[in-house]
């Protein structure tokens, strides 16, 4: 039994305890299992069992609500901490959230949370009048409930700058009014449904919803509730649902600062179609509406294509001869996916882990943005061993379950879908064309000139905030400091006068790259300190670096600064910009294992010449 | 089940949940066991309901004062259809 093993590790003080704990925590679905794991974890902390590789301050999270927040807080603390995302908690009193939020000098604001989780009381969400009142009166009251919730979120955000996570409302699962429940907005059923819908649609970017209505629906409405638990200890839901609520909250909290996955890499035989194309032939594979298995594979391809439309890049990694593997995509009429859907197609006899490493190089992306899907446990295992940064999905034995597995993998959840996401495949494909052109043009200057590049420089704006935060949180390689920021942080920067922040968009004759570089500078006396300099690697060495430097220098001089200060903070992924500042004419002034600091004197600064035309935003 | 049979089965559940071994006796109460905090208490109730296949009625676990009374309550609930 795993608990016995964990207890044994703990009593013997073995550091593997932490990895085993993380694994058991991922696997645990029962309330009790998680509580026991949490209690073991706390004992390990008490005993001072060392856990290497956790750095940075814990995130300050406040948890408020109209329920007893214990043991939810315990589960949440456990999921975050065991998932290597330690948090410090402020726990509101039972149903005291209004007072806590309204008290300007109170303990909540003193705690200075970066994230506030609010579970408003469902007892305040019901229509106060009669079932037969006019629809407009009922609707107005629902709108008022939504407005007051949004008001609480706004106040929290404005006072603390924190991201706010709010739960919506459970729906009742008892017959009560019978079919009449959906004929009036005055029933709790309709009223809460309406409030939930309006709350989600009206939520500003800093407000993230934890959808209790959905979680309970998924779990089963009757199983989700437990009246005894409410009467005895004011619990929001049953103990079987509580771990799912905690997991959802933990996922939202950690995803605020974690980059998203970008590439889905697919096996072919028995993944995208039934059978083995090299053995069964083009006619023999199962795909399409002529058999139930064929239909299942076709549905799976459709769900993959939906991911592509949401901005996920698709690639193939298969053990096959290239021509045989390509044939279904080119010739089979029932295939949903086609060659042009893929940014990379590796069909050869090399180990799949090697192919994935090569793909990451070709696409200029970190391996940790890859997800690999295969029906063969041996292939999954080799990837887990030799490319451990890649997330893997091992498909089950029945293709009718593939779509559900993909839809439940939780690796491709957008916070906000941006227009650029949908265009990304196009961008990577034109990058291939550009490379082809680059190899034909030996003179770099002539090549750059031939691209007809146009850059737009924009100061940070509220409308760009989702895209800015997205790029800030996913850029790893060309990122000098890897400082992550939420949308709320961006809004704070827009309002701060001592900060100079701008982004760069780039177009060329092959397409629109969208927003590809972000610069954040802070004026400190007579210098402008470059807090953040990051760029999408797709546009490396295209002179966007120079454009950015020119703009930084211009802003710094306008702010009365005499020098630019740059800093490089090394991470496992940003080695490529270690010497970036010296390449841009900066002088190295200090160096340690944690940081390299640089300066550029602006007195003698001459703007760099580039082949990029600057457009006004 | 008699009280002692229930306590014997309870001992197994305790052994699973508690890190330090606890020897159950009818007179033992939660206060006497430092590790027996509210977190372990919740785990315990959930585990007991599952292992014995019973469901306590609202408020009644809180009303028991020691392991003996708790075991009697379990035995009573087990006798129900």
């Amino acid at each position: 039994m795993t608990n016995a093993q964990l207890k044994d590790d703990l009593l013997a003080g073995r550091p593997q305890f932490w990895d085993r704990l993380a694994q058991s925590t991922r696997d645990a679905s029962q309330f009790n299992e998680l509580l026991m794991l949490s209690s073991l974890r706390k004992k390990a902390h008490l005993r001072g069992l060392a856990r290497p590789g956790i750095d940075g301050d814990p995130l300050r999270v406040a948890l408020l609500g109209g329920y007893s927040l214990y043991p939810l807080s315990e589960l949440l603390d456990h999921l975050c901490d065991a998932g290597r995302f330690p948090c410090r908690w402020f726990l509101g009193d039972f149903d005291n959230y209004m007072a806590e939020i309204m008290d300007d000098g109170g303990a909540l604001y003193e705690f200075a949370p970066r994230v506030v989780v609010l579970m408003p009381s469902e007892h305040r969400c019901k229509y106060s009048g009669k079932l037969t009142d006019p629809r407009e009166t009922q609707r107005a009251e629902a709108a008022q409930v939504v407005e007051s919730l949004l008001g609480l979120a706004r106040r929290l955000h404005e006072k603390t700058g924190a991201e706010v996570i709010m739960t919506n409302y459970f729906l009742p699962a008892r017959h009560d009014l019978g079919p009449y429940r959906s004929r009036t907005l005055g029933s709790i059923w309709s009223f809460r449904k309406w409030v939930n819908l309006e709350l989600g649609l009206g939520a500003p970017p800093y407000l993230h919803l934890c959808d209790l209505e959905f979680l309970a629906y998924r779990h089963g409405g009757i199983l989700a509730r437990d009246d005894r638990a409410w009467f005895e200890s004011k619990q929001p839901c049953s103990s079987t649902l509580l771990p799912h609520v905690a997991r959802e909250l933990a996922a939202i909290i950690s995803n605020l600062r974690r980059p998203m996955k970008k590439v889905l890499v697919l096996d072919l035989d028995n993944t995208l179609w039934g059978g083995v194309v090299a053995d069964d032939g083009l006619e023999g594979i199962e795909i399409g509406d002529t058999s139930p298995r064929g239909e299942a594979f076709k549905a799976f391809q459709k769900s993959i294509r939906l991911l592509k439309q949401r901005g996920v890049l698709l690639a193939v990694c298969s053990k096959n001869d290239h021509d045989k593997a390509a044939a279904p995509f080119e010739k089979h009429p029932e295939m949903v996916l086609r060659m042009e859907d893929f940014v990379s197609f590796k069909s050869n006899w090399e180990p799949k882990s090697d192919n994935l490493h090569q793909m990451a190089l070709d696409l200029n992306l970190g391996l940790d943005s890859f997800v690999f899907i295969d029906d063969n446990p041996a292939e999954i295992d080799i990837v887990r061993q030799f490319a451990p940064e890649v997330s893997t999905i091992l498909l089950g034995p029945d293709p009718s379950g593939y779509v559900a597995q993909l839809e439940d993998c939780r690796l491709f959840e957008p916070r906000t879908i941006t227009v650029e996401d949908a265009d990304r495949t196009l961008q990577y494909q034109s990058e291939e064309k550009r490379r082809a052109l680059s190899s034909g043009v030996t003179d770099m200057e002539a090549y750059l000139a031939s691209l007809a590049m146009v850059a737009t420089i924009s100061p940070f704006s509220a409308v760009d905030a989702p895209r800015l935060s997205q790029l800030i949180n996913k850029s790893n390689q060309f990122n000098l400091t890897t400082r992550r920021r939420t949308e709320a942080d961006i809004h704070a920067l827009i309002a701060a006068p001592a900060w100079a922040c701008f982004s760069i968009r780039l177009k060329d004759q092959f397409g629109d790259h969208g927003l590809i570089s972000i610069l954040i500078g802070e004026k400190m006396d007579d210098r402008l300190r470059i807090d953040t300099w990051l760029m999408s690697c797709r546009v490396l060495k295209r002179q966007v670096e120079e454009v950015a430097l020119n703009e930084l220098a211009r802003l710094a001089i306008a702010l009365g600064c005499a020098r630019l200060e740059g800093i490089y903070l090394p991470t496992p992924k940003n080695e490529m910009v270690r010497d970036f500042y010296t390449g841009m004419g900066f002088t190295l002034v200090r160096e340690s294992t944690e940081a390299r600091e640089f300066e550029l004197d602006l007195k003698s600064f001459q703007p760099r010449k580039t082949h990029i035309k600057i457009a006004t935003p | 089940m008699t009280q002692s049979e229930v306590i014997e089965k309870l001992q197994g559940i305790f052994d699973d949940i508690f890190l330090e071994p606890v020897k159950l006796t009818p007179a033992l109460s939660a206060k006497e066991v430092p590790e027996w905090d509210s977190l372990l208490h919740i785990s315990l109730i959930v585990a007991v309901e599952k292992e014995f296949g019973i469901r306590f009625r609202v408020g009644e676990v809180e009303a028991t004062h020691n392991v003996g009374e708790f075991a009697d309550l379990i035995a009573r609930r087990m006798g129900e259809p």
Side-chain angles (χ1 to χ4, degrees):
Chain A
M1 191 183 156
T2 49
N3 268 344
Q5 175 73 59
L6 270 170
K7 280 185 189 174
D8 197 41
D9 285 342
L10 171 55
L11 290 170
R14 291 184 206 109
Q16 306 90 292
F17 170 82
W18 294 110
D19 280 341
R20 286 219 173 88
L21 181 80
Q23 188 57 50
S24 304
T25 300
R26 276 193 294 276
D27 295 343
S29 59
Q30 303 292 312
F31 175 72
N32 232 23
E33 288 175 80
L34 281 169
L35 286 189
M36 275 152 67
L37 291 168
S38 181
S39 126
L40 287 176
R41 173 185 59 91
K42 285 160 77 177
K43 283 165 191 157
H45 280 309
L46 271 178
R47 285 164 179 249
L49 183 58
R51 174 163 60 160
I54 300 277
D55 36 49
D57 294 332
L59 183 70
R60 288 192 309 281
V61 186
L63 188 55
L64 316 174
Y67 304 93
S68 168
L69 300 167
Y70 186 88
L72 174 65
S73 57
E74 185 73 36
L75 295 175
L76 200 45
D77 177 45
H78 178 69
L79 291 168
C80 290
D81 191 44
R84 308 178 68 85
F85 198 87
C87 298
R88 252 183 63 207
W89 303 91
F90 172 94
L91 220 51
D93 290 327
F94 163 63
D95 209 16
N96 196 33
Y97 60 97
M98 289 288 194
E100 283 154 352
I101 294 171
M102 291 308 159
D103 181 7
D104 280 348
L108 169 64
Y109 295 113
E110 205 170 301
F111 176 72
R114 301 305 302 138
V115 176
V116 180
V117 179
L118 174 59
M119 302 185 81
S121 165
E122 66 178 10
H123 303 277
R124 298 206 179 91
C125 185
K126 53 177 84 164
Y127 180 59
S128 63
K130 294 200 199 70
L131 292 172
T132 50
D133 283 348
R135 181 75 46 85
E136 277 320 306
T137 317
Q138 296 173 337
R139 194 173 293 174
E141 191 169 317
Q144 211 180 345
V145 170
V146 172
E147 193 35 59
S148 86
L149 291 174
L150 292 175
L152 288 177
R154 190 160 53 235
R155 185 178 162 83
L156 281 167
H157 178 68
E158 281 170 3
K159 297 253 330 154
T160 61
E163 301 280 332
V164 181
I165 300 170
M166 198 187 289
T167 56
N168 62 8
Y169 295 107
F170 292 115
L171 303 180
R174 300 293 168 187
H175 283 294
D176 193 20
L177 293 170
Y180 184 70
R181 78 178 74 80
S182 45
R183 299 186 68 90
T184 168
L185 254 187
S187 69
I188 294 185
W189 170 263
S190 303
F191 192 77
R192 286 194 190 149
K193 262 181 140 170
W194 182 277
V195 167
N196 285 350
L197 203 57
E198 291 291 316
L199 188 60
L201 297 174
Y206 55 80
L207 178 58
H208 311 270
L209 287 173
C210 173
D211 196 342
L212 295 186
E213 181 186 346
F214 167 79
L215 292 176
Y217 170 74
R218 189 179 149 88
H219 192 66
I222 290 193
L223 295 176
R225 309 311 300 274
D226 183 348
D227 290 330
R228 187 186 70 183
W230 166 255
F231 296 129
E232 282 189 345
S233 58
K234 303 295 171 270
Q235 292 300 303
C237 62
S238 71
S239 62
T240 56
L241 180 63
L242 203 60
H244 300 283
V245 175
R247 268 192 205 281
E248 182 70 6
L249 288 170
I252 297 173
I253 292 171
S254 55
N255 286 347
L256 290 174
R257 283 167 178 76
R258 224 170 245 175
M260 282 169 288
K261 302 289 175 186
K262 294 170 196 153
V263 191
L264 177 62
V265 185
L266 302 151
D267 170 53
L268 296 181
D269 292 329
N270 289 316
T271 294
L272 290 189
W273 53 71
V276 176
V277 67
D279 298 339
D280 303 330
L282 193 56
E283 308 74 27
I285 60 172
E286 292 171 288
I287 176 71
D289 298 332
T290 44
S291 73
R293 265 174 70 83
E295 267 190 68
F297 284 107
K298 187 166 177 179
F300 186 47
Q301 291 199 14
K302 283 186 183 161
S303 71
I304 291 167
R305 193 176 55 184
L306 279 178
L307 278 184
K308 187 200 156 198
Q309 283 162 5
R310 283 183 1 209
V312 174
L313 301 171
L314 304 181
V316 163
C317 182
S318 160
K319 284 206 164 135
N320 260 312
D321 286 329
H322 182 275
D323 293 350
K324 286 196 178 110
F329 296 97
E330 287 160 348
K331 295 178 198 146
H332 203 296
E334 288 289 316
M335 291 283 288
V336 175
L337 296 171
R338 297 289 169 191
M339 284 311 258
E340 61 268 23
D341 290 318
F342 302 105
V343 293
S344 177
F345 196 101
K346 303 244 179 255
S347 180
N348 53 42
W349 301 97
E350 304 300 318
K352 294 203 176 185
S353 47
D354 289 7
N355 275 321
L356 286 166
H357 278 283
Q358 189 55 46
M359 238 179 236
L361 285 177
D362 293 347
L363 296 171
N364 248 330
L365 290 168
L367 266 180
D368 62 353
S369 57
F370 282 65
V371 177
F372 172 65
I373 197 160
D374 203 311
D375 66 300
N376 182 342
E379 300 294 358
I380 292 285
D381 190 56
I382 203 166
V383 171
R384 281 189 187 157
Q385 279 196 43
F386 297 101
E389 305 90 337
V390 175
S391 299
T392 53
I393 299 174
L394 173 61
L395 292 169
D398 180 358
S400 73
Y402 286 6
V403 172
Q405 256 191 291
L406 185 60
E407 288 182 347
D408 266 344
C409 78
R410 311 217 61 175
L411 296 166
F412 298 106
E413 297 175 8
R415 268 191 292 152
T416 26
I417 298 186
T418 57
V419 181
E420 277 123 337
D421 283 331
D423 290 339
R424 199 172 297 144
T425 301
L426 216 56
Q427 288 171 6
Y428 278 86
Q429 283 171 348
S430 22
E431 185 59 31
E432 289 294 312
K433 278 187 212 156
R434 252 184 302 265
R435 259 200 218 130
L437 178 61
S438 164
S439 57
V441 184
T442 47
D443 179 355
M444 195 62 189
E445 293 291 318
Y447 162 66
L448 290 173
S450 74
L451 286 172
M453 294 181 284
V454 181
T456 311
I457 298 172
S458 325
F460 278 16
S461 67
V463 63
D464 268 343
R467 178 67 187 158
L468 290 167
S469 157
Q470 204 181 50
L471 190 59
I472 285 173
N473 288 314
K474 74 182 181 185
S475 291
N476 293 315
Q477 301 183 83
F478 194 114
N479 193 337
L480 274 302
T481 54
T482 321
R483 291 184 178 131
R484 305 302 193 193
R485 282 189 167 89
T486 63
E487 282 183 43
D489 298 332
I490 306 280
H491 287 286
L493 284 179
I494 296 173
W499 292 77
C501 314
F502 61 93
S503 64
I504 305 177
R505 288 181 157 79
L506 185 73
K507 278 186 212 172
D508 62 31
Q509 62 156 333
F510 295 108
D512 189 346
H513 295 278
L515 200 161
I516 40 77
S517 184
I518 294 177
L519 283 291
I520 299 174
E522 185 187 12
K523 179 176 154 63
M524 318 272 288
D525 305 325
D526 69 333
R527 16 190 243 285
L528 188 73
R529 175 183 290 173
I530 305 166
D531 172 280
T532 293
W533 188 332
L534 63 86
M535 194 176 79
S536 161
C537 290
R538 294 199 310 269
V539 296
L540 201 63
K541 307 252 183 214
R542 301 273 299 274
Q543 299 182 330
V544 176
E545 299 90 328
E546 281 77 8
V547 167
L549 179 64
N550 290 347
E551 178 67 6
L552 266 181
R554 191 187 69 79
L555 287 171
I557 292 166
L559 284 167
C561 298
R563 276 175 295 152
L564 286 179
E565 248 181 42
I567 185 161
Y568 164 74
L569 303 176
T571 71
K573 292 177 187 162
N574 70 352
E575 172 69 22
M576 70 181 291
V577 288
R578 186 174 183 276
D579 297 313
F580 170 71
Y581 277 121
T582 41
M584 296 301 284
F586 285 60
T587 318
L588 180 65
V589 287
R590 261 179 301 277
E591 177 161 26
S592 69
T593 48
E594 286 97 46
R596 311 182 79 210
E597 294 175 58
F598 306 85
E599 270 184 19
L600 180 69
D601 193 342
L602 289 172
K603 280 185 218 83
S604 53
F605 179 78
Q606 289 294 322
R608 308 292 155 93
K609 288 211 165 37
T610 71
H611 292 282
I612 302 177
K613 203 179 132 204
I614 308 295
T616 41
Chain B
M1 261 190 183
T2 65
Q3 191 195 66
S4 60
E5 284 166 341
V6 172
I7 292 180
E8 198 185 319
K9 192 165 172 186
L10 270 179
Q11 183 70 56
I13 297 173
F14 272 70
D15 290 346
D16 196 36
I17 292 178
F18 285 73
L19 188 64
E20 313 284 352
V22 182
K23 176 81 190 95
L24 293 187
T25 62
L28 185 76
S29 75
K31 283 194 280 299
E32 296 165 60
V33 184
E35 206 188 337
W36 193 338
D37 58 7
S38 53
L39 175 59
L40 280 194
H41 188 70
I42 300 168
S43 304
L44 194 63
I45 303 306
V46 173
V48 166
E49 287 197 326
K50 199 169 157 194
E51 289 299 315
F52 287 90
I54 55 173
R55 182 158 165 96
F56 297 115
R57 297 176 191 174
V58 63
E60 65 186 7
V61 173
E62 217 177 276
T64 62
H65 300 97
N66 56 38
V67 169
E69 289 182 26
F70 185 45
D72 291 342
L73 174 63
I74 293 171
R76 230 167 30 242
R77 289 290 156 259
M78 286 177 73
E80 292 176 348

